Amino acid sequence: MFGFFASQEKKTRAHAANWLELADKVWHFRRDQLSPQDNDELLTRSRELRQQLKARADAARLKLGIEALEGVLRRTGGALYPKSSLVENVEFFLVAAIVILGIRTYFVQPFKIPTNSMWPTYYGMTAENLPPDRPAPALWQQALRFLAFGAQRRTVVAPASGEVTAEFDENTGAMAYQVRNGRNWLILPAQVKEYTFLVNGRAATVTVPLDFNEFDRVVADTFFGGESGFLTQFLQTRQARAVRRQRGGMGSPEDYSRNVRLTLKQNARAGDPILRFDILTGDQLFVDRVSYHFVKPKVGQGFVFRTGHIAGIGDDQYYIKRLVGLPGDVLEIKEPTLYRNGAPITGAESFRLNAQRVPPYRGYFNAQHNGYSRNDGQYLLKGQQVTVPENSFMALGDNSGSSLDGRYWGFVPDKDAIGRPLVIYYPFTRRWGWAR
């Protein structure tokens, strides 16, 4: 009980000091605008409360002194006091924004993993297939999944009854899509990929983020029982089309299109879902922006950098890869191992896992002439050694077989090194916690 009264008196003394500080501010800023009577009363009430503080008056007397001073301040404070709730809220959010921007610029920056180039160390956006012939998570479960994993539901509903078809690229087997302007979180402008299914000739579309790369797997799992089933039907259909082309004749216009049309389902019913899945958000990290001002980056660290000065990329974005080469290092890939200065690279557990192809790690792969980049795979080709230039770094993805990294766009200027990942703060999966 005595502790309670002591704490109350301590709080009252702190309040009294705050009121005196405000009174001093009003007097200094507004004394030339106040009448002599108001100035005298403001100084008198301030002096009385200050004397009570020095005399260590009890909480009750201090409260009376505060109330007397507050009455004067309400009459004389102008814009300084009393403040409206709107002004106080605006000031709070402005100060908060300045603090957040300062922390983000100089200390810790949030970063979202967009792709799976660093999988399985860090996850980009992934898909969880929810087959239409099985019960989907209930609405309350969907809400929990959204909060815990950032899961966003996508459902394609048949607009008519009948056969479901879609077009796939003749060379890659990927389902055809259009890039359109859309929205992230229904608010932020962004480009999206739009996929189209035809149900008895009527279109049913679905959009996904531009960086989402698992749509083809969802389609294969839903309609073909997996990638092998899809590949079998795709190759058979493509071969049959090639035979018809060789025979000549008019044939069907589809036989001469760059896309192959496949039948996905024979008997869809109007109003029923034909495809359903959740997009799970990529790992979201806090990145340390301070360390690289004092210590040099180390081989094996997760490595965040800007891309605006990398000729093979061009766009100014933030990327995350793993740092594999410092200035002067000689690098070479002898699949599945990455060599640094003539020996298998060390410095991160992922190096060993890739070299030994411990599942799900698949090893390092030489660059391929695949036309995916401006440099067309001119770094770390089979049998090629690469020396990292001065004032530069080399960065590769842990998921080498699915990573457009330094093998395709070259070296990272040291001035564009941002920092290393600290923690995965979202989503709340087994990867939550300190970054690797």
Side-chain angles (χ1 to χ4, degrees):
M1 186 170 71
F2 292 107
F4 170 79
F5 285 112
S7 63
Q8 285 294 102
E9 184 170 327
K10 186 176 181 180
K11 290 179 181 178
T12 306
R13 292 180 63 82
H15 288 323
N18 291 336
W19 281 104
L20 287 171
E21 183 179 346
L22 177 60
D24 288 342
K25 184 183 294 186
V26 170
W27 188 78
H28 284 295
F29 280 89
R30 305 199 72 240
R31 59 184 176 181
D32 58 337
Q33 302 175 31
L34 300 178
S35 67
Q37 182 179 356
D38 285 338
N39 271 323
D40 288 343
E41 187 173 3
L42 178 60
L43 291 174
T44 298
R45 297 302 183 190
S46 299
R47 184 169 55 251
E48 290 174 352
L49 182 57
R50 190 170 282 110
Q51 289 173 348
Q52 291 173 353
L53 270 178
K54 289 182 179 179
R56 304 192 68 81
D58 59 28
R61 291 188 60 191
L62 285 174
K63 187 175 180 181
L64 291 175
I66 290 171
E67 290 174 351
L69 179 58
E70 183 186 8
V72 180
L73 288 174
R74 284 187 176 276
R75 190 172 69 253
T76 62
L80 296 175
Y81 185 84
K83 292 183 180 179
S84 68
S85 58
L86 176 61
V87 172
E88 289 183 346
N89 288 334
V90 170
E91 285 186 354
F92 171 80
F93 285 113
L94 283 175
V95 172
I98 291 170
V99 171
I100 291 172
L101 286 174
I103 292 174
R104 187 181 188 276
T105 302
Y106 298 106
F107 298 99
V108 177
Q109 176 177 340
F111 180 86
K112 181 178 179 180
I113 305 291
T115 69
N116 282 293
S117 68
M118 285 292 289
W119 180 87
T121 308
Y122 306 124
Y123 280 44
M125 282 182 288
T126 57
E128 183 174 343
N129 193 21
L130 304 171
D133 57 349
R134 302 176 192 171
L139 190 60
W140 67 270
Q141 293 173 309
Q142 186 177 342
L144 288 179
R145 287 165 58 81
F146 174 78
L147 293 174
F149 312 124
Q152 298 183 57
R153 181 67 48 83
R154 296 289 193 275
T155 303
V156 182
V157 176
S161 297
E163 183 181 73
V164 181
T165 63
E167 293 188 350
F168 298 80
D169 186 276
E170 180 180 36
N171 297 315
T172 66
M175 185 168 167
Y177 62 86
Q178 299 288 330
V179 176
R180 302 194 183 283
N181 293 325
R183 300 278 178 180
N184 276 341
W185 301 100
L186 303 177
I187 299 174
L188 303 176
Q191 288 192 312
V192 298
K193 292 189 285 193
E194 182 182 77
Y195 292 89
T196 300
F197 299 87
L198 292 177
V199 185
N200 199 17
R202 294 181 59 183
T205 62
V206 61
T207 61
V208 300
L210 194 62
D211 292 326
F212 180 69
N213 296 319
E214 293 213 334
F215 189 81
D216 292 316
R217 179 182 65 80
V218 172
V219 170
D221 289 346
T222 299
F223 297 107
F224 301 97
E227 294 181 359
S228 61
F230 163 77
L231 189 60
T232 298
Q233 182 165 335
F234 173 76
L235 293 177
Q236 289 175 350
T237 305
R238 189 175 69 173
Q239 179 62 28
R241 191 170 78 157
V243 170
R244 291 193 296 270
R245 284 178 177 175
Q246 290 175 356
R247 291 175 179 173
M250 294 298 293
S252 168
E254 294 177 11
D255 291 341
Y256 297 90
S257 168
R258 64 167 293 181
N259 292 329
V260 177
R261 179 169 292 184
L262 296 183
T263 298
L264 308 182
K265 188 179 179 70
Q266 295 284 354
N267 54 349
R269 293 192 307 176
D272 285 353
I274 58 174
L275 185 75
R276 182 170 53 204
F277 61 97
D278 278 353
I279 299 177
L280 308 182
T281 186
D283 289 342
Q284 299 183 32
L285 313 170
F286 283 128
V287 175
D288 167 21
R289 294 185 64 114
V290 177
S291 297
Y292 286 174
H293 293 293
F294 304 100
V295 296
K296 295 180 179 180
K298 294 181 180 179
V299 167
Q301 288 181 336
F303 184 57
V304 178
F305 53 93
R306 297 185 70 166
T307 64
H309 297 104
I310 299 175
I313 299 177
D315 297 332
D316 192 9
Q317 306 176 51
Y318 289 97
Y319 273 22
I320 182 170
K321 305 292 180 185
R322 193 170 299 280
L323 184 60
V324 302
L326 304 176
D329 283 347
V330 179
L331 303 174
E332 183 178 5
I333 292 177
K334 298 178 182 179
E335 298 180 1
T337 304
L338 172 63
Y339 285 79
R340 176 176 178 242
N341 299 326
I345 192 169
T346 59
E349 179 67 5
S350 62
F351 293 150
R352 181 188 69 82
L353 296 172
N354 262 315
Q356 297 178 7
R357 285 183 169 161
V358 177
Y361 291 87
R362 298 182 293 171
Y364 286 99
F365 295 90
N366 294 111
Q368 303 294 321
H369 287 299
N370 53 21
Y372 286 164
S373 71
R374 300 178 188 179
N375 289 323
D376 197 20
Q378 69 180 35
Y379 303 99
L380 295 173
L381 294 162
K382 186 175 182 179
Q384 179 189 33
Q385 292 185 341
V386 172
T387 301
V388 182
E390 291 185 2
N391 305 316
S392 300
F393 301 108
M394 175 63 89
L396 301 181
D398 287 352
N399 187 12
S400 182
S402 300
S403 177
L404 292 179
D405 49 31
R407 296 168 299 165
Y408 297 96
W409 39 250
F411 306 100
V412 180
D414 58 2
K415 63 182 178 182
D416 290 330
I418 297 299
R420 58 189 180 87
L422 289 177
V423 295
I424 299 174
Y425 66 89
Y426 188 78
F428 301 114
T429 65
R430 288 178 297 177
R431 298 183 307 283
W432 186 87
W434 292 110
R436 292 178 288 166

